[in-house]
């Protein structure tokens, strides 16, 4: 196996960073979609100005730029690395031959649950040749998912779920029956333990928002589900699969409020009762840059957005309680000023913390609370395969794998023939794997992922997957089928320390962290925050929360600018109205200091 992630900028990356007019012309020639570009408005601001500096070109920053450009603001995005952030494609440079593109790597695979509404709304407004609904039409539904456990029978489940009860939410027994049917399929979970999980989920579904924010925010998911002393199946599936492998959170650290809320969203989507965009599990029909990020950047350039690539924010200047300027550094180390009327930080939380100065904190004391937020590692590795794989018609959860692995064979969902479009013509599939646990020893070297070299990470991850799926008569994964592998270049081996470093950690939920998450509006009147650490309805590090936070930042800016432009629509997670009577009863009990009526523990 060869590692192809240690290369410089690709031609595609350079073009993405410096151009776009040619692509706009190409769109006009091939599909006429330029006519769909929004006309630039010029709202007559009653106060303030219309220039905006956005620091960070990831999901939050691009959302901010999009919404502000549509409302007539002049936006400059400063991005030090590449547009798209953790969602972007990261090609294995130099692997494409004879006109084929380089093999497509990535930070980690992504999927689009049906309860996402902010992201799909944005996608609908990004033109794409031949798509009536823009980039949104590049989403395709998976057919199912697979759960594997070493030494046990695998379970394949079609998506979406179709419970016969159809979530008749007028009584608690119907909810219990649906949950039991959904989670008891073929699993060796003792009935009494499954009953505990079902009862806890019913309790959460019928909890008031006051109890969720006040009580469940301060209790871990593992404690609520009574994980201690339970069977391996209960711990690996019910506890781990819904946290460590699904949302990269530790069940013994994450709050019941956040994990329960996301679990509820998945359940309601699978049951078909969420008003939104449908299918439980969708992915893009090609590499993310091709199917989404590059068309988005092209649209924004056509709307007047400027991208300063290689530009990193190094200092925010404060005077009179306002941001008076910003210092940025380019790739060569040269410093310059970035001046605007309004400033939006769309950087990850840990990078905002690096910029905190006494002057900035004095102007907005809540920024100091960002130091309480916790980041962890969730990084992907891709295996480029010489044969098409049949693991699943969707995602695979390797339950019981020490590194909490999940994967998807992507080529089956992508447009065109993979071998004729990418690489040297011999690669037919790409198995993209997310490593969610970097702190548990593996089975091959007895070391954590953080302690393994890049080559050891590739070998260990492969060994753990084989241990889960190669327990039948015919091996599902064969060594000879792997042509190459690609590990996110953000992970680099530090030989002197004997450990890895990671340039792109992930914000993870912890008990009580809601109090440390800031709002998009700050006490500094011309400074706003966007990113998955900002308070949002979903309260989890996802593309959806980043997009929602960008919308919130724009609305706060519009209000501060006294702009007559229409505010941005924001979408919230679905709360079934049928459960309102139960939540009202619980709200009264919570106000009276009483536990939930089902909380018998």
């Amino acid at each position: 196996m060869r590692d192809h992630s240690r290369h410089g900028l690709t031609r595609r990356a350079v073009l993405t960073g410096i151009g776009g007019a040619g692509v706009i012309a190409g769109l006009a020639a091939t599909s006429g979609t330029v006519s769909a570009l929004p006309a630039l408005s010029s709202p007559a601001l009653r106060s303030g100005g219309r220039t905006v500096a956005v620091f960070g070109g990831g999901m939050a920053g691009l959302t901010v730029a999009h919404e502000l450009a549509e409302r007539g603001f002049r936006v400059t995005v400063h991005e030090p690395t590449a547009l798209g952030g953790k969602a972007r494609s990261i090609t294995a440079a130099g692997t494409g031959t004879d006109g084929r593109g380089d093999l497509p790597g990535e930070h980690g695979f992504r999927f689009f649950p049906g309860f996402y509404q902010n992201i799909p709304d944005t996608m609908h407004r990004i033109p794409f040749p031949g798509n009536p609904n823009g980039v949104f039409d590049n989403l395709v539904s998976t057919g199912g998912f697979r759960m594997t456990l070493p030494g046990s029978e695998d379970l394949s489940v079609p998506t979406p779920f179709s419970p016969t009860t159809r979530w008749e939410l007028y009584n608690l027994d119907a909810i219990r029956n649906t949950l039991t049917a959904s989670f008891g399929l073929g699993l060796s979970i003792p009935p009494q333990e499954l009953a505990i999980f079902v009862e806890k989920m019913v309790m959460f579904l019928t909890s008031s928002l006051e109890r969720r924010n006040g009580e469940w925010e301060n209790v871990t998911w593992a404690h609520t589900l009574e994980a201690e002393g339970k069977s391996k199946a209960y711990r690996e599936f019910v506890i781990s699969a819904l946290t460590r492998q699904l949302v990269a959170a530790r069940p013994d650290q994450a709050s019941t409020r956040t994990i329960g809320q996301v679990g509820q969203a998945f359940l309601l989507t699978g049951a078909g009762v969420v008003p939104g965009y449908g299918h439980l599990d969708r992915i893009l029909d090609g590499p993310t840059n091709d199917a989404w990020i590059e068309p988005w950047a092209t649209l924004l350039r056509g709307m007047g957005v400027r991208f300063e690539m290689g530009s990193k924010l190094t200092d925010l200047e404060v005077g009179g309680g306002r941001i008076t300027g910003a210092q940025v550094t380019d790739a060569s180390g040269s410093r310059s000023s970035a001046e605007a009327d309004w400033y939006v930080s769309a950087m990850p939380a840990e990078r905002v913390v690096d910029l905190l100065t006494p002057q900035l904190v004095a102007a907005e004391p809540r920024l100091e609370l960002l130091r309480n937020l916790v980041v962890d590692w969730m990084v992907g590795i891709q295996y480029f395969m010489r044969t098409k794989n049949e693991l699943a018609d969707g995602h695979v959860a390797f339950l019981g794998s020490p590194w909490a692995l999940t994967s998807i064979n992507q080529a089956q969902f992508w447009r065109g023939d993979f071998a004729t479009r990418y690489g040297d013509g011999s690669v037919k599939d790409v198995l993209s794997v997310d490593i969610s646990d970097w702190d548990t020893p593996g089975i091959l070297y007895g070391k954590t992922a953080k302690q393994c070299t890049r080559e050891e990470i590739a070998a260990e991850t492969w060994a753990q997957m084989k241990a889960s799926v190669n327990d039948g008569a015919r091996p599902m994964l064969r060594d000879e089928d792997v042509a190459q592998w690609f590990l996110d270049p953000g992970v680099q081996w530090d030989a002197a320390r004997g450990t890895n470093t990671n340039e792109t950690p992930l914000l993870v939920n912890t008990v009580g962290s809601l109090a440390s998450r800031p709002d998009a509006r700050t006490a500094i009147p011309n400074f706003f925050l966007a990113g998955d650490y900002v308070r949002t309805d979903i309260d989890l590090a996802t593309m959806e929360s980043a997009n929602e936070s960008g919308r919130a930042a724009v609305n706060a800016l519009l209000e501060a600018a006294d702009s007559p432009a229409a505010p941005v629509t924001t979408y919230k997670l679905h709360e079934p109205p049928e459960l309102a009577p139960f939540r009202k009863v619980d709200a009264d009990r919570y106000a009276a200091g009483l536990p939930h009526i089902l909380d018998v523990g």
Side-chain angles (χ1 to χ4, degrees):
M1 302 182 190
R2 289 177 288 163
D3 178 5
H4 284 277
S5 56
R6 294 178 178 268
H7 294 276
L9 291 175
T10 64
R11 177 176 180 272
R12 179 185 297 277
V14 172
L15 291 175
T16 301
I18 65 175
V23 182
I24 294 177
L27 287 175
T30 58
S31 67
T33 53
V34 169
S35 62
L37 296 177
L40 296 182
S41 59
S42 298
L45 300 180
R46 290 182 280 267
S47 63
R50 67 175 71 249
T51 61
V52 185
V54 178
F55 302 105
M59 196 54 51
L62 293 176
T63 300
V64 170
H66 191 164
E67 301 296 347
L68 286 175
E70 283 190 347
R71 290 159 176 79
F73 287 81
R74 296 194 297 272
V75 182
T76 299
V77 176
H78 297 266
E79 168 52 44
T81 307
L83 298 180
K86 295 184 182 72
R88 75 187 190 279
S89 304
I90 313 173
T91 54
T95 56
T97 63
D98 299 327
R100 286 179 288 265
D102 290 333
L103 292 170
E106 56 191 353
H107 171 78
F109 68 74
R110 64 209 50 82
F111 68 107
F112 301 77
F115 58 83
Y116 279 15
Q117 297 187 72
N118 294 290
I119 286 284
D121 175 76
T122 296
M123 288 179 146
H124 272 88
R125 292 183 282 131
I126 303 172
F128 192 89
N131 288 0
N133 298 303
V135 164
F136 178 79
D137 287 343
N138 290 340
L139 291 176
V140 294
S141 300
T142 65
F145 67 94
R146 181 176 187 163
M147 294 173 288
T148 73
L149 197 63
S152 300
E153 191 72 22
D154 293 353
L155 173 64
S156 295
V157 181
T159 57
F161 296 126
S162 299
T164 56
T165 56
R166 291 294 300 168
W167 283 85
E168 299 292 343
L169 296 175
Y170 297 103
N171 63 81
L172 299 183
D173 285 339
I175 301 174
R176 291 189 183 94
N177 292 340
T178 299
L179 286 167
T180 301
S182 298
F183 286 90
L185 295 173
L187 297 172
S188 57
I189 301 175
Q192 67 274 17
E193 294 180 358
L194 183 60
I196 292 173
F197 168 73
V198 168
E199 199 71 6
K200 298 297 185 180
M201 280 303 300
V202 173
M203 182 177 69
F204 186 86
L205 287 164
T206 55
S207 289
S208 62
L209 297 182
E210 294 83 358
R211 189 181 299 281
R212 294 182 187 184
N213 293 337
E215 182 177 351
W216 303 140
E217 168 64 16
N218 297 296
V219 180
T220 69
W221 181 240
H223 178 81
T224 295
L225 295 188
E226 303 176 15
E228 187 174 355
K230 297 301 187 297
S231 66
K232 182 177 181 180
Y234 182 81
R235 288 182 285 106
E236 295 290 354
F237 177 70
V238 176
I239 307 297
S240 177
L242 294 181
T243 50
R244 199 67 174 139
Q245 291 171 292
L246 189 60
V247 295
R250 295 181 182 274
D252 58 346
Q253 295 180 355
S255 74
T256 296
R257 171 187 177 272
T258 297
I259 304 305
Q261 189 167 268
V262 174
Q264 170 182 300
F266 275 108
L267 288 169
L268 296 178
T269 303
V273 300
V274 175
Y277 292 100
H279 203 275
L280 182 67
D281 182 8
R282 294 164 302 172
I283 67 170
L284 288 166
D285 63 0
T288 308
N289 280 12
D290 297 347
W292 183 15
I293 302 302
E294 289 180 4
W296 199 1
T298 297
L299 168 67
L300 297 184
R301 289 189 182 95
M303 297 168 69
V305 174
R306 291 178 54 227
F307 291 106
E308 294 290 341
M309 302 303 296
S311 179
K312 179 180 180 181
L313 176 65
T314 53
D315 184 47
L316 287 168
E317 301 164 354
V318 183
R322 299 175 63 87
I323 302 297
T324 57
Q327 293 294 313
V328 295
T329 304
D330 65 19
S332 68
S334 299
R335 289 171 61 88
S336 61
S337 296
E339 297 181 356
D341 300 309
W342 311 98
Y343 298 86
V344 181
S345 169
M347 302 178 295
E350 67 276 8
R351 298 193 179 178
V352 179
V353 169
D354 290 340
L355 294 171
L356 295 183
T357 61
Q359 295 79 13
L360 192 61
V361 173
E364 172 50 288
R366 279 185 56 85
L367 291 176
E368 185 69 27
L369 296 176
L370 293 178
R371 300 186 189 276
N372 298 331
L373 299 179
V374 177
V375 295
D376 203 345
W377 294 24
M378 183 177 184
V379 183
I381 183 171
Q382 290 77 52
Y383 297 89
F384 299 107
M385 312 291 291
R386 295 188 178 93
T387 59
K388 292 187 176 181
N389 193 276
E390 302 175 356
L391 277 179
D393 186 22
H395 292 92
V396 179
F398 296 88
L399 306 182
S401 57
W403 290 1
L405 306 176
T406 49
S407 76
I408 187 167
N409 287 91
Q410 294 176 320
Q412 62 183 312
F413 301 102
W414 287 1
R415 295 183 181 183
D417 179 66
F418 189 92
T420 60
R421 297 188 66 180
Y422 305 104
D424 62 2
S426 67
V427 176
K428 296 181 173 58
D429 201 354
V430 52
L431 175 62
S432 187
V433 186
D434 278 356
I435 305 170
S436 298
D437 189 333
W438 287 71
D439 298 304
T440 299
I443 64 174
L444 201 58
Y445 302 106
K447 297 190 292 187
T448 70
K450 291 178 180 176
Q451 298 169 328
C452 288
T453 65
R454 295 170 63 82
E455 291 73 18
E456 288 173 340
I457 289 172
E460 176 71 55
T461 303
W462 185 253
Q464 291 185 27
M465 290 191 296
K466 288 199 302 181
S468 289
V469 299
N470 284 4
D471 47 10
R474 183 172 64 91
M476 299 292 292
L477 298 176
R478 303 185 307 171
D479 296 347
E480 59 268 27
D481 291 336
V482 180
Q484 302 166 27
W485 56 268
F486 179 93
L487 178 64
D488 184 341
V491 174
Q492 289 295 329
W493 177 250
D494 186 336
R497 297 170 55 196
T499 187
N500 284 301
T501 60
N502 183 7
E503 294 180 357
T504 55
L506 179 73
L507 179 75
V508 294
N509 178 263
T510 55
V511 163
S513 61
L514 181 64
S516 297
R517 294 173 70 111
D519 295 313
R521 178 190 295 277
T522 74
I524 304 172
N526 65 336
F527 181 56
F528 309 90
L529 301 175
D532 55 21
Y533 65 94
V534 173
R535 286 197 182 199
T536 58
D537 192 49
I538 201 170
D539 186 33
L540 197 68
T542 60
M543 296 182 295
E544 178 76 350
S545 63
N547 186 287
E548 182 187 343
S549 74
R551 292 166 181 250
V554 169
N555 283 340
L557 191 156
L558 293 176
E559 185 176 348
D562 199 18
S563 171
V568 185
T569 301
T570 58
Y571 300 88
K572 305 298 182 182
L573 292 172
H574 179 63
E575 291 289 346
E578 295 88 349
L579 293 179
F582 299 106
R583 294 197 299 269
K584 177 61 172 64
V585 169
D586 187 59
D588 294 340
R589 290 180 62 87
Y590 183 75
L594 297 173
H596 191 283
I597 195 171
L598 296 179
D599 190 3
V600 297

